[in-house]
Amino acid sequence: MAEPKDNGRKTDGTFAPGNSLGGRTPGSRNKTTVAIEALLEGEHEALTRAAIDKALEGDTAAIRLCLDRIAPARKDSPVTFALPAIRSIEDAVTASSALLAAVAAGEVTPDEGGRVMSLLTSHKQLVETCDLETRLAALEAKQ
């Protein structure tokens, strides 16, 4: 069987740290970004004022641009529904049942339910770990 090539890459195909075979140096910037910044150099205030003036004149695109900067659209919204406290594994099962009931009743969308269920799963794992550590400490104290 042939030896693997030493081509400066890790097994997943990405460049290994410190390789000398290429890749962007740390801190380097895209040429297009640098060129645009050079064009806009010193014009930020004038452009901002022009956008605000257009928005005040009723230009809907300028209004949208200004409002998106002032109050960007939320990528997520809070989910509100009754959820019992989770202090044990049984509580986690009760909470997941309550979440499924909320999704079934239309109080929570399936997407929101999936994200909350992911949080419940993570919390359940923390509760399990804490429970195991407590039991282990109790066993060690007995010995």
Side-chain angles (χ1 to χ4, degrees), residues 53-64:
D53 290 342
K54 288 282 189 181
L56 292 173
E57 291 170 5
D59 184 330
T60 56
I63 291 171
R64 188 177 310 113

Side-chain angles (χ1 to χ4, degrees), residues 28-113:
S28 65
R29 303 185 60 218
N30 186 295
K31 290 177 186 177
T32 305
T33 302
V34 172
I36 290 171
E37 286 178 354
L39 285 172
L40 296 175
E41 186 70 34
E43 301 296 331
H44 296 93
E45 288 182 29
L47 287 169
T48 303
R49 173 66 5 212
I52 292 170
D53 290 342
K54 288 282 189 181
L56 292 173
E57 291 170 5
D59 184 330
T60 56
I63 291 171
R64 188 177 310 113
L65 175 75
C66 291
L67 289 177
D68 284 348
R69 298 303 177 265
I70 294 169
R74 292 179 70 153
K75 296 194 180 351
D76 210 354
S77 60
V79 178
T80 306
F81 66 98
L83 191 64
I86 303 171
R87 294 184 185 87
S88 67
I89 304 303
E90 293 79 21
D91 292 342
V93 172
T94 303
S96 67
S97 295
L99 175 59
L100 290 173
V103 171
E107 298 170 15
V108 178
T109 67
D111 183 53
E112 292 168 337

Side-chain angles (χ1 to χ4, degrees), residues 86-93 96 117-137:
I86 303 171
R87 294 184 185 87
S88 67
I89 304 303
E90 293 79 21
D91 292 342
V93 172
S96 67
M117 187 62 80
S118 176
L119 291 172
L120 285 173
T121 301
S122 296
H123 188 69
K124 179 186 81 74
Q125 290 172 344
L126 289 171
V127 169
E128 286 175 340
T129 302
C130 183
D131 186 43
L132 288 173
E133 287 179 0
T134 303
R135 285 193 218 172
L136 183 60

